[in-house]
Amino acid sequence: MLIQSYDLRGIFEKDIFPSLVKKAVERYLKFLNNPSKVLIAYDSNPRSFYIKNFILEEFKSFEELGLLPTPIFYYYVIKRKIPGIMITASHLPLKYVGMKFLLTDGSSWKPNLEIKEIKIEKFKRKKETVFKEELYDEYFSNLNKIVKNSRNKKIFVNFDLKNFFLKNSLPYFKKFKIIHSNKSKIKIKADLDNDRITIFYKNKKIINDLIFYYLAKEKKYKILGTPIYFSKYLERKLKETNKKIFYIETGHINFKNAYKKFKIDLAFEPSGHFYMFKDLKTEAPYLALILFLKKIPDFEKIENLKIRRFNVKIKKDFDFERLINFLKEKFNLNVEKFDGYFLSNKNIFIHLRKSATENVLRISLEGNKINYFQKEIKKWFNNKKS
């Protein structure tokens, strides 16, 4: 299935193939009025290398930044005011590839291709890549200016060294006194292009709502952007400190549009995207990670939220309204339609949203008896199948 939302994603050489890539890039360059220079970077998926090589052979206006995490690529597009293409399918399995088309302000261009016009072909298997250390040096030096007044104590962290970008970032984290240790109870994982970073303590995931909360407590972050299902408990605590919060629909393009519209300082999505607009005008999970680690003196004292998030596989013709009516009537819930459906009463908050990239329903629960509510929702799905 070819996905065209704020980017282009699909299975390599089934959904994404040379003719389609060429057509997409041609339309992108035409939209940009054929610029003299366009930046290009890619993740560590070998299939991304093949697409990059194809683009460089077909088009002469590209400057190759090489293997680069998506957030760092965004940073250079905005800083240099040069548009660019990032080749990645982000968190999707390796059989997927993708392309993100960026404008000079970091916003996205959407391709809107007519697939029936395009012939399926194969890419040449060329593995030529570039790795520019100077780009990392400059980026992390800039992060150092932002966090210079933070806690200076050494922090030992167990990074997932199977991840290419995390492994190559170890020397830069060391400058912040964040040091890799296999024995650390704090574990850091990331998706392929490192725009989502996950923190675990004693093998238990620290929910991203909490990470955002600790970041948002800083005085400089006054205007915040969150999904509607951001923890209502933490939302109340932030509003008590006079923070202004805007609800934003899921998706990079929506958060970046909200940044322009509402002058947002800081935003996040529970999937792991942290938008450090006040600091870098774009998403910056490395900065969020560093600031969070330096803020928390004792992980044992981090609050345990009553939140449960899980996915349920669904068919394309899934009857959303039937599930909503079941929940509304059984539990006496108020219903609000925003980024899916948000259902609530004084004891429970439930949010349901169809994924834009997978055939799953994403479900978020917060409140009392969340185990009971999760069980009842799963029971509904099982009864429906039978």
Side-chain angles (χ1 to χ4, degrees):
M1 178 180 70
L2 187 71
I3 301 163
Q4 297 186 73
S5 51
Y6 58 87
D7 60 357
L8 192 67
R9 276 182 281 182
I11 296 174
F12 181 72
E13 293 185 337
K14 179 182 178 183
D15 303 314
I16 306 286
F17 37 83
S19 298
L20 183 141
V21 170
K22 185 175 181 180
K23 183 177 283 288
V25 175
E26 284 175 343
R27 290 191 179 182
Y28 174 59
L29 296 178
K30 184 178 180 180
F31 174 83
L32 296 172
N33 198 23
N34 295 313
S36 59
K37 185 179 287 187
V38 181
L39 304 178
I40 191 167
Y42 39 92
D43 65 21
S44 59
N45 183 346
R47 295 167 182 82
S48 299
F49 309 163
Y50 309 148
I51 295 173
K52 177 269 301 185
N53 289 327
F54 172 78
I55 292 173
L56 292 181
E57 286 179 359
E58 292 288 328
F59 302 93
K60 305 305 178 186
S61 55
F62 283 88
E63 177 186 338
E64 183 177 359
L65 298 189
L67 282 157
L68 208 60
T70 293
I72 298 182
F73 180 69
Y74 287 170
Y75 167 80
Y76 282 107
V77 166
I78 294 168
K79 182 184 178 185
R80 295 176 59 181
K81 294 185 171 65
I82 300 175
I85 296 175
M86 179 70 199
I87 303 174
T88 181
S90 190
H91 62 286
L92 296 180
L94 287 176
K95 67 179 181 179
Y96 286 86
V97 290
M99 301 168 67
K100 298 180 180 182
F101 302 86
L102 275 293
L103 306 180
T104 55
D105 62 355
S107 60
S108 301
W109 174 82
K110 186 176 177 179
N112 287 327
L113 299 176
E114 297 175 14
I115 312 308
K116 62 183 179 180
E117 301 175 2
I118 302 167
K119 180 183 176 182
I120 296 178
E121 301 161 325
K122 299 281 186 182
F123 288 95
K124 293 179 183 177
R125 267 46 177 179
K126 292 171 63 178
K127 291 188 177 181
E128 299 168 357
T129 61
V130 170
F131 186 82
K132 296 184 178 181
E133 289 187 12
E134 64 270 21
L135 297 180
Y136 290 77
D137 290 336
E138 180 184 340
Y139 182 77
F140 279 94
S141 293
N142 195 33
L143 297 192
N144 194 41
K145 294 175 185 176
I146 298 169
V147 302
K148 61 183 178 181
N149 295 322
S150 299
R151 193 164 60 99
N152 207 28
K153 184 180 177 182
K154 284 184 180 179
I155 304 166
F156 293 93
V157 172
N158 186 355
F159 287 94
D160 177 12
L161 300 187
K162 293 179 182 177
N163 185 287
F164 177 86
F165 292 131
L166 284 183
K167 184 177 180 179
N168 283 279
S169 297
L170 293 186
Y172 304 102
F173 282 111
K174 198 170 183 179
K175 293 178 182 179
F176 296 91
K177 296 193 174 181
I178 298 172
I179 300 164
H180 172 69
S181 170
N182 290 326
K183 296 180 180 179
S184 176
K185 296 175 183 177
I186 306 167
K187 293 185 178 179
I188 309 296
K189 293 187 177 182
D191 62 350
L192 195 66
D193 69 329
N194 277 209
D195 65 350
R196 302 181 183 199
I197 290 181
T198 309
I199 307 174
F200 297 83
Y201 182 65
K202 292 184 176 178
N203 293 319
K204 185 177 180 181
K205 180 182 175 181
I206 298 176
I207 195 164
N208 287 317
D209 302 55
L210 264 175
I211 297 171
F212 175 76
Y213 169 73
Y214 281 102
L215 297 177
K217 287 170 69 176
E218 278 289 319
K219 289 182 180 180
K220 67 176 179 177
Y221 303 127
K222 297 176 182 178
I223 305 176
L224 311 176
T226 75
I228 194 171
Y229 51 101
F230 170 51
S231 167
K232 298 305 167 190
Y233 167 69
L234 296 178
E235 180 184 292
R236 284 193 294 269
K237 293 184 75 170
L238 286 173
K239 284 183 175 179
E240 286 170 3
T241 62
N242 296 317
K243 304 287 185 178
K244 190 169 185 179
I245 299 177
F246 289 96
Y247 293 139
I248 304 168
E249 289 190 44
T250 303
H252 298 351
I253 194 167
N254 296 322
F255 276 80
K256 289 174 180 177
N257 288 341
Y259 161 57
K260 296 177 187 176
K261 184 176 180 180
F262 303 118
K263 310 299 181 187
I264 287 172
D265 298 321
L266 177 71
F268 96 113
E269 294 180 83
S271 56
H273 297 285
F274 288 89
Y275 301 89
M276 315 297 285
F277 292 128
K278 179 86 173 180
D279 307 290
L280 295 171
K281 300 180 181 179
T282 187
E283 58 188 284
Y286 291 148
L287 177 57
L289 173 64
I290 293 165
L291 289 173
F292 177 73
L293 291 175
K294 288 186 169 291
K295 272 181 168 294
I296 306 300
D298 186 356
F299 275 77
E300 294 286 353
K301 294 181 180 178
I302 293 178
E303 290 189 77
N304 184 22
L305 298 178
K306 294 179 180 178
I307 290 179
R308 185 73 46 79
R309 294 197 172 111
F310 60 99
N311 297 333
V312 177
K313 288 187 177 181
I314 58 173
K315 295 180 179 179
K316 290 183 180 179
D317 60 348
F318 171 70
D319 190 347
F320 217 141
E321 296 293 337
R322 187 177 167 192
L323 174 58
I324 299 302
N325 289 332
F326 162 75
L327 293 170
K328 178 182 176 181
E329 293 173 10
K330 184 174 178 66
F331 303 114
N332 191 26
L333 299 170
N334 298 313
V335 179
E336 181 178 351
K337 193 170 183 180
F338 183 86
D339 196 19
Y341 287 86
F342 183 70
L343 303 92
S344 64
N345 61 30
K346 63 180 181 179
N347 296 313
I348 188 75
F349 301 98
I350 303 175
H351 185 265
L352 306 104
R353 180 182 66 85
K354 287 182 180 179
S355 169
T357 57
E358 303 169 84
N359 289 326
V360 298
L361 183 66
R362 303 201 188 283
I363 302 173
S364 179
L365 307 174
E366 182 182 19
N368 299 321
K369 299 182 180 179
I370 55 175
N371 289 336
Y372 167 71
F373 280 92
Q374 181 176 5
K375 183 179 177 181
E376 288 298 310
I377 291 171
K378 288 188 174 180
K379 186 191 293 184
W380 183 87
F381 275 95
N382 289 333
N383 290 339
K384 190 171 182 292
K385 288 176 183 176
S386 61

PDB file of all heavy atoms in Angstrom, residues 226-229 247-251 254-255 269-270 320 336-342 351-354 362:
ATOM      1  N   THR A 226      -0.088  19.478  22.172  1.00  0.00           N
ATOM      2  CA  THR A 226      -0.206  18.067  22.529  1.00  0.00           C
ATOM      3  C   THR A 226      -1.362  17.440  21.759  1.00  0.00           C
ATOM      4  O   THR A 226      -2.261  18.142  21.296  1.00  0.00           O
ATOM      5  CB  THR A 226      -0.480  17.873  24.045  1.00  0.00           C
ATOM      6  OG1 THR A 226      -1.851  18.210  24.314  1.00  0.00           O
ATOM      7  CG2 THR A 226       0.439  18.716  24.908  1.00  0.00           C
ATOM      8  N   PRO A 227      -1.379  16.111  21.646  1.00  0.00           N
ATOM      9  CA  PRO A 227      -2.586  15.452  21.150  1.00  0.00           C
ATOM     10  C   PRO A 227      -3.672  15.541  22.212  1.00  0.00           C
ATOM     11  O   PRO A 227      -3.380  15.799  23.386  1.00  0.00           O
ATOM     12  CB  PRO A 227      -2.130  14.002  20.945  1.00  0.00           C
ATOM     13  CG  PRO A 227      -1.012  13.827  21.911  1.00  0.00           C
ATOM     14  CD  PRO A 227      -0.313  15.149  21.994  1.00  0.00           C
ATOM     15  N   ILE A 228      -4.913  15.316  21.822  1.00  0.00           N
ATOM     16  CA  ILE A 228      -6.017  15.420  22.775  1.00  0.00           C
ATOM     17  C   ILE A 228      -5.899  14.373  23.875  1.00  0.00           C
ATOM     18  O   ILE A 228      -6.388  14.557  24.990  1.00  0.00           O
ATOM     19  CB  ILE A 228      -7.377  15.320  22.056  1.00  0.00           C
ATOM     20  CG1 ILE A 228      -8.501  15.781  22.988  1.00  0.00           C
ATOM     21  CG2 ILE A 228      -7.623  13.928  21.510  1.00  0.00           C
ATOM     22  CD1 ILE A 228      -9.851  15.930  22.312  1.00  0.00           C
ATOM     23  N   TYR A 229      -5.218  13.253  23.592  1.00  0.00           N
ATOM     24  CA  TYR A 229      -5.111  12.187  24.587  1.00  0.00           C
ATOM     25  C   TYR A 229      -3.840  12.280  25.439  1.00  0.00           C
ATOM     26  O   TYR A 229      -3.456  11.319  26.107  1.00  0.00           O
ATOM     27  CB  TYR A 229      -5.228  10.809  23.934  1.00  0.00           C
ATOM     28  CG  TYR A 229      -4.319  10.582  22.748  1.00  0.00           C
ATOM     29  CD1 TYR A 229      -3.135   9.863  22.859  1.00  0.00           C
ATOM     30  CD2 TYR A 229      -4.671  11.075  21.497  1.00  0.00           C
ATOM     31  CE1 TYR A 229      -2.322   9.643  21.767  1.00  0.00           C
ATOM     32  CE2 TYR A 229      -3.861  10.857  20.393  1.00  0.00           C
ATOM     33  CZ  TYR A 229      -2.697  10.142  20.545  1.00  0.00           C
ATOM     34  OH  TYR A 229      -1.881   9.929  19.453  1.00  0.00           O
ATOM     35  N   TYR A 247      -4.523  21.578  21.460  1.00  0.00           N
ATOM     36  CA  TYR A 247      -4.638  20.205  20.960  1.00  0.00           C
ATOM     37  C   TYR A 247      -4.358  20.198  19.459  1.00  0.00           C
ATOM     38  O   TYR A 247      -4.883  21.032  18.713  1.00  0.00           O
ATOM     39  CB  TYR A 247      -6.030  19.642  21.204  1.00  0.00           C
ATOM     40  CG  TYR A 247      -6.382  19.438  22.654  1.00  0.00           C
ATOM     41  CD1 TYR A 247      -7.650  19.754  23.129  1.00  0.00           C
ATOM     42  CD2 TYR A 247      -5.457  18.921  23.552  1.00  0.00           C
ATOM     43  CE1 TYR A 247      -7.989  19.556  24.456  1.00  0.00           C
ATOM     44  CE2 TYR A 247      -5.786  18.729  24.878  1.00  0.00           C
ATOM     45  CZ  TYR A 247      -7.043  19.048  25.335  1.00  0.00           C
ATOM     46  OH  TYR A 247      -7.368  18.853  26.646  1.00  0.00           O
ATOM     47  N   ILE A 248      -3.564  19.229  19.022  1.00  0.00           N
ATOM     48  CA  ILE A 248      -3.163  19.145  17.614  1.00  0.00           C
ATOM     49  C   ILE A 248      -3.412  17.728  17.110  1.00  0.00           C
ATOM     50  O   ILE A 248      -3.134  16.755  17.815  1.00  0.00           O
ATOM     51  CB  ILE A 248      -1.668  19.506  17.459  1.00  0.00           C
ATOM     52  CG1 ILE A 248      -1.405  20.897  18.063  1.00  0.00           C
ATOM     53  CG2 ILE A 248      -1.255  19.480  15.994  1.00  0.00           C
ATOM     54  CD1 ILE A 248       0.054  21.216  18.213  1.00  0.00           C
ATOM     55  N   GLU A 249      -3.903  17.613  15.896  1.00  0.00           N
ATOM     56  CA  GLU A 249      -4.119  16.290  15.309  1.00  0.00           C
ATOM     57  C   GLU A 249      -2.786  15.602  15.023  1.00  0.00           C
ATOM     58  O   GLU A 249      -1.791  16.258  14.719  1.00  0.00           O
ATOM     59  CB  GLU A 249      -4.919  16.413  14.012  1.00  0.00           C
ATOM     60  CG  GLU A 249      -6.369  16.786  14.232  1.00  0.00           C
ATOM     61  CD  GLU A 249      -7.187  16.663  12.954  1.00  0.00           C
ATOM     62  OE1 GLU A 249      -7.011  15.653  12.249  1.00  0.00           O
ATOM     63  OE2 GLU A 249      -7.970  17.571  12.674  1.00  0.00           O
ATOM     64  N   THR A 250      -2.792  14.283  15.113  1.00  0.00           N
ATOM     65  CA  THR A 250      -1.593  13.489  14.882  1.00  0.00           C
ATOM     66  C   THR A 250      -1.006  13.777  13.496  1.00  0.00           C
ATOM     67  O   THR A 250      -1.732  13.931  12.525  1.00  0.00           O
ATOM     68  CB  THR A 250      -1.931  11.994  14.989  1.00  0.00           C
ATOM     69  OG1 THR A 250      -2.492  11.743  16.280  1.00  0.00           O
ATOM     70  CG2 THR A 250      -0.694  11.133  14.802  1.00  0.00           C
ATOM     71  N   GLY A 251       0.331  13.821  13.425  1.00  0.00           N
ATOM     72  CA  GLY A 251       1.003  14.006  12.140  1.00  0.00           C
ATOM     73  C   GLY A 251       1.973  15.167  12.146  1.00  0.00           C
ATOM     74  O   GLY A 251       1.647  16.250  12.649  1.00  0.00           O
ATOM     75  N   ASN A 254       0.752  18.537  10.772  1.00  0.00           N
ATOM     76  CA  ASN A 254      -0.186  19.259  11.640  1.00  0.00           C
ATOM     77  C   ASN A 254       0.540  19.995  12.760  1.00  0.00           C
ATOM     78  O   ASN A 254       0.186  21.132  13.108  1.00  0.00           O
ATOM     79  CB  ASN A 254      -1.212  18.286  12.217  1.00  0.00           C
ATOM     80  CG  ASN A 254      -2.080  17.664  11.151  1.00  0.00           C
ATOM     81  OD1 ASN A 254      -2.457  18.322  10.191  1.00  0.00           O
ATOM     82  ND2 ASN A 254      -2.388  16.395  11.300  1.00  0.00           N
ATOM     83  N   PHE A 255       1.562  19.359  13.325  1.00  0.00           N
ATOM     84  CA  PHE A 255       2.312  20.004  14.395  1.00  0.00           C
ATOM     85  C   PHE A 255       3.124  21.183  13.860  1.00  0.00           C
ATOM     86  O   PHE A 255       3.234  22.219  14.517  1.00  0.00           O
ATOM     87  CB  PHE A 255       3.217  18.984  15.103  1.00  0.00           C
ATOM     88  CG  PHE A 255       2.497  18.209  16.166  1.00  0.00           C
ATOM     89  CD1 PHE A 255       1.690  17.133  15.841  1.00  0.00           C
ATOM     90  CD2 PHE A 255       2.594  18.567  17.501  1.00  0.00           C
ATOM     91  CE1 PHE A 255       1.002  16.425  16.810  1.00  0.00           C
ATOM     92  CE2 PHE A 255       1.911  17.881  18.484  1.00  0.00           C
ATOM     93  CZ  PHE A 255       1.118  16.800  18.146  1.00  0.00           C
ATOM     94  N   GLU A 269       4.255  14.123  20.360  1.00  0.00           N
ATOM     95  CA  GLU A 269       3.294  13.076  20.063  1.00  0.00           C
ATOM     96  C   GLU A 269       3.672  11.848  20.878  1.00  0.00           C
ATOM     97  O   GLU A 269       4.863  11.530  21.009  1.00  0.00           O
ATOM     98  CB  GLU A 269       3.308  12.735  18.578  1.00  0.00           C
ATOM     99  CG  GLU A 269       2.826  13.861  17.688  1.00  0.00           C
ATOM    100  CD  GLU A 269       2.862  13.489  16.219  1.00  0.00           C
ATOM    101  OE1 GLU A 269       1.904  12.853  15.755  1.00  0.00           O
ATOM    102  OE2 GLU A 269       3.850  13.822  15.555  1.00  0.00           O
ATOM    103  N   PRO A 270       2.707  11.110  21.438  1.00  0.00           N
ATOM    104  CA  PRO A 270       3.026   9.944  22.269  1.00  0.00           C
ATOM    105  C   PRO A 270       3.852   8.870  21.559  1.00  0.00           C
ATOM    106  O   PRO A 270       4.484   8.047  22.202  1.00  0.00           O
ATOM    107  CB  PRO A 270       1.640   9.404  22.654  1.00  0.00           C
ATOM    108  CG  PRO A 270       0.777  10.611  22.652  1.00  0.00           C
ATOM    109  CD  PRO A 270       1.274  11.441  21.486  1.00  0.00           C
ATOM    110  N   PHE A 320     -16.244   1.747  12.735  1.00  0.00           N
ATOM    111  CA  PHE A 320     -15.828   2.609  13.851  1.00  0.00           C
ATOM    112  C   PHE A 320     -17.037   2.994  14.720  1.00  0.00           C
ATOM    113  O   PHE A 320     -16.983   2.946  15.956  1.00  0.00           O
ATOM    114  CB  PHE A 320     -15.174   3.873  13.291  1.00  0.00           C
ATOM    115  CG  PHE A 320     -14.009   4.364  14.106  1.00  0.00           C
ATOM    116  CD1 PHE A 320     -12.881   4.873  13.478  1.00  0.00           C
ATOM    117  CD2 PHE A 320     -14.029   4.346  15.483  1.00  0.00           C
ATOM    118  CE1 PHE A 320     -11.797   5.335  14.212  1.00  0.00           C
ATOM    119  CE2 PHE A 320     -12.954   4.804  16.234  1.00  0.00           C
ATOM    120  CZ  PHE A 320     -11.846   5.301  15.594  1.00  0.00           C
ATOM    121  N   GLU A 336     -16.378  13.087  21.898  1.00  0.00           N
ATOM    122  CA  GLU A 336     -15.920  14.237  21.123  1.00  0.00           C
ATOM    123  C   GLU A 336     -15.124  13.701  19.937  1.00  0.00           C
ATOM    124  O   GLU A 336     -14.242  12.852  20.105  1.00  0.00           O
ATOM    125  CB  GLU A 336     -15.030  15.130  21.991  1.00  0.00           C
ATOM    126  CG  GLU A 336     -14.528  16.371  21.288  1.00  0.00           C
ATOM    127  CD  GLU A 336     -13.679  17.255  22.191  1.00  0.00           C
ATOM    128  OE1 GLU A 336     -13.627  16.992  23.410  1.00  0.00           O
ATOM    129  OE2 GLU A 336     -13.056  18.200  21.665  1.00  0.00           O
ATOM    130  N   LYS A 337     -15.449  14.195  18.745  1.00  0.00           N
ATOM    131  CA  LYS A 337     -14.732  13.740  17.554  1.00  0.00           C
ATOM    132  C   LYS A 337     -13.581  14.686  17.271  1.00  0.00           C
ATOM    133  O   LYS A 337     -13.783  15.829  16.868  1.00  0.00           O
ATOM    134  CB  LYS A 337     -15.669  13.666  16.354  1.00  0.00           C
ATOM    135  CG  LYS A 337     -15.073  12.920  15.165  1.00  0.00           C
ATOM    136  CD  LYS A 337     -16.105  12.665  14.082  1.00  0.00           C
ATOM    137  CE  LYS A 337     -15.496  11.855  12.934  1.00  0.00           C
ATOM    138  NZ  LYS A 337     -16.473  11.583  11.863  1.00  0.00           N
ATOM    139  N   PHE A 338     -12.366  14.224  17.512  1.00  0.00           N
ATOM    140  CA  PHE A 338     -11.167  15.010  17.238  1.00  0.00           C
ATOM    141  C   PHE A 338      -9.994  14.048  17.094  1.00  0.00           C
ATOM    142  O   PHE A 338      -9.688  13.299  18.019  1.00  0.00           O
ATOM    143  CB  PHE A 338     -10.885  16.007  18.369  1.00  0.00           C
ATOM    144  CG  PHE A 338      -9.687  16.891  18.095  1.00  0.00           C
ATOM    145  CD1 PHE A 338      -9.831  18.062  17.358  1.00  0.00           C
ATOM    146  CD2 PHE A 338      -8.422  16.541  18.550  1.00  0.00           C
ATOM    147  CE1 PHE A 338      -8.747  18.869  17.091  1.00  0.00           C
ATOM    148  CE2 PHE A 338      -7.320  17.334  18.284  1.00  0.00           C
ATOM    149  CZ  PHE A 338      -7.477  18.509  17.554  1.00  0.00           C
ATOM    150  N   ASP A 339      -9.360  14.056  15.922  1.00  0.00           N
ATOM    151  CA  ASP A 339      -8.236  13.146  15.676  1.00  0.00           C
ATOM    152  C   ASP A 339      -8.641  11.707  15.997  1.00  0.00           C
ATOM    153  O   ASP A 339      -7.924  10.984  16.681  1.00  0.00           O
ATOM    154  CB  ASP A 339      -7.033  13.565  16.520  1.00  0.00           C
ATOM    155  CG  ASP A 339      -5.729  12.937  16.037  1.00  0.00           C
ATOM    156  OD1 ASP A 339      -5.684  12.490  14.874  1.00  0.00           O
ATOM    157  OD2 ASP A 339      -4.765  12.882  16.815  1.00  0.00           O
ATOM    158  N   GLY A 340      -9.798  11.302  15.525  1.00  0.00           N
ATOM    159  CA  GLY A 340     -10.399  10.041  15.927  1.00  0.00           C
ATOM    160  C   GLY A 340     -11.557  10.358  16.854  1.00  0.00           C
ATOM    161  O   GLY A 340     -12.312  11.304  16.625  1.00  0.00           O
ATOM    162  N   TYR A 341     -11.686   9.599  17.938  1.00  0.00           N
ATOM    163  CA  TYR A 341     -12.754   9.827  18.900  1.00  0.00           C
ATOM    164  C   TYR A 341     -12.183   9.876  20.313  1.00  0.00           C
ATOM    165  O   TYR A 341     -11.356   9.034  20.698  1.00  0.00           O
ATOM    166  CB  TYR A 341     -13.793   8.710  18.831  1.00  0.00           C
ATOM    167  CG  TYR A 341     -14.673   8.775  17.610  1.00  0.00           C
ATOM    168  CD1 TYR A 341     -14.268   8.185  16.406  1.00  0.00           C
ATOM    169  CD2 TYR A 341     -15.904   9.422  17.645  1.00  0.00           C
ATOM    170  CE1 TYR A 341     -15.070   8.237  15.281  1.00  0.00           C
ATOM    171  CE2 TYR A 341     -16.714   9.483  16.515  1.00  0.00           C
ATOM    172  CZ  TYR A 341     -16.294   8.887  15.346  1.00  0.00           C
ATOM    173  OH  TYR A 341     -17.086   8.953  14.230  1.00  0.00           O
ATOM    174  N   PHE A 342     -12.637  10.870  21.075  1.00  0.00           N
ATOM    175  CA  PHE A 342     -12.226  11.016  22.472  1.00  0.00           C
ATOM    176  C   PHE A 342     -13.468  10.841  23.341  1.00  0.00           C
ATOM    177  O   PHE A 342     -14.442  11.589  23.215  1.00  0.00           O
ATOM    178  CB  PHE A 342     -11.598  12.388  22.702  1.00  0.00           C
ATOM    179  CG  PHE A 342     -11.082  12.589  24.098  1.00  0.00           C
ATOM    180  CD1 PHE A 342      -9.962  11.898  24.534  1.00  0.00           C
ATOM    181  CD2 PHE A 342     -11.708  13.466  24.973  1.00  0.00           C
ATOM    182  CE1 PHE A 342      -9.476  12.079  25.820  1.00  0.00           C
ATOM    183  CE2 PHE A 342     -11.230  13.652  26.255  1.00  0.00           C
ATOM    184  CZ  PHE A 342     -10.107  12.951  26.684  1.00  0.00           C
ATOM    185  N   HIS A 351      -9.253   7.283  24.011  1.00  0.00           N
ATOM    186  CA  HIS A 351      -9.086   7.862  22.681  1.00  0.00           C
ATOM    187  C   HIS A 351      -8.848   6.740  21.689  1.00  0.00           C
ATOM    188  O   HIS A 351      -8.070   5.812  21.941  1.00  0.00           O
ATOM    189  CB  HIS A 351      -7.904   8.834  22.641  1.00  0.00           C
ATOM    190  CG  HIS A 351      -7.780   9.541  21.324  1.00  0.00           C
ATOM    191  ND1 HIS A 351      -6.959   9.106  20.312  1.00  0.00           N
ATOM    192  CD2 HIS A 351      -8.402  10.638  20.832  1.00  0.00           C
ATOM    193  CE1 HIS A 351      -7.072   9.909  19.277  1.00  0.00           C
ATOM    194  NE2 HIS A 351      -7.935  10.845  19.560  1.00  0.00           N
ATOM    195  N   LEU A 352      -9.512   6.815  20.537  1.00  0.00           N
ATOM    196  CA  LEU A 352      -9.374   5.809  19.490  1.00  0.00           C
ATOM    197  C   LEU A 352      -9.101   6.495  18.161  1.00  0.00           C
ATOM    198  O   LEU A 352      -9.800   7.448  17.802  1.00  0.00           O
ATOM    199  CB  LEU A 352     -10.647   4.966  19.373  1.00  0.00           C
ATOM    200  CG  LEU A 352     -11.135   4.299  20.663  1.00  0.00           C
ATOM    201  CD1 LEU A 352     -12.330   5.069  21.207  1.00  0.00           C
ATOM    202  CD2 LEU A 352     -11.513   2.857  20.423  1.00  0.00           C
ATOM    203  N   ARG A 353      -8.110   6.003  17.445  1.00  0.00           N
ATOM    204  CA  ARG A 353      -7.742   6.618  16.165  1.00  0.00           C
ATOM    205  C   ARG A 353      -7.195   5.559  15.220  1.00  0.00           C
ATOM    206  O   ARG A 353      -6.357   4.747  15.591  1.00  0.00           O
ATOM    207  CB  ARG A 353      -6.680   7.701  16.380  1.00  0.00           C
ATOM    208  CG  ARG A 353      -6.232   8.408  15.110  1.00  0.00           C
ATOM    209  CD  ARG A 353      -5.154   9.435  15.401  1.00  0.00           C
ATOM    210  NE  ARG A 353      -3.927   8.822  15.871  1.00  0.00           N
ATOM    211  CZ  ARG A 353      -2.975   8.330  15.063  1.00  0.00           C
ATOM    212  NH1 ARG A 353      -3.120   8.377  13.746  1.00  0.00           N
ATOM    213  NH2 ARG A 353      -1.883   7.806  15.567  1.00  0.00           N
ATOM    214  N   LYS A 354      -7.683   5.570  13.982  1.00  0.00           N
ATOM    215  CA  LYS A 354      -7.130   4.679  12.961  1.00  0.00           C
ATOM    216  C   LYS A 354      -5.744   5.160  12.574  1.00  0.00           C
ATOM    217  O   LYS A 354      -5.536   6.358  12.353  1.00  0.00           O
ATOM    218  CB  LYS A 354      -8.019   4.666  11.716  1.00  0.00           C
ATOM    219  CG  LYS A 354      -9.322   3.913  11.877  1.00  0.00           C
ATOM    220  CD  LYS A 354     -10.090   3.923  10.558  1.00  0.00           C
ATOM    221  CE  LYS A 354     -11.404   3.196  10.658  1.00  0.00           C
ATOM    222  NZ  LYS A 354     -12.160   3.219   9.378  1.00  0.00           N
ATOM    223  N   ARG A 362      -5.426   2.578  17.064  1.00  0.00           N
ATOM    224  CA  ARG A 362      -4.586   2.970  18.201  1.00  0.00           C
ATOM    225  C   ARG A 362      -5.501   3.424  19.338  1.00  0.00           C
ATOM    226  O   ARG A 362      -6.352   4.293  19.158  1.00  0.00           O
ATOM    227  CB  ARG A 362      -3.627   4.075  17.791  1.00  0.00           C
ATOM    228  CG  ARG A 362      -2.734   3.688  16.602  1.00  0.00           C
ATOM    229  CD  ARG A 362      -1.489   4.541  16.526  1.00  0.00           C
ATOM    230  NE  ARG A 362      -0.732   4.316  15.315  1.00  0.00           N
ATOM    231  CZ  ARG A 362       0.059   3.272  15.073  1.00  0.00           C
ATOM    232  NH1 ARG A 362       0.175   2.339  15.999  1.00  0.00           N
ATOM    233  NH2 ARG A 362       0.722   3.159  13.946  1.00  0.00           N
TER     234      ARG A 362
END
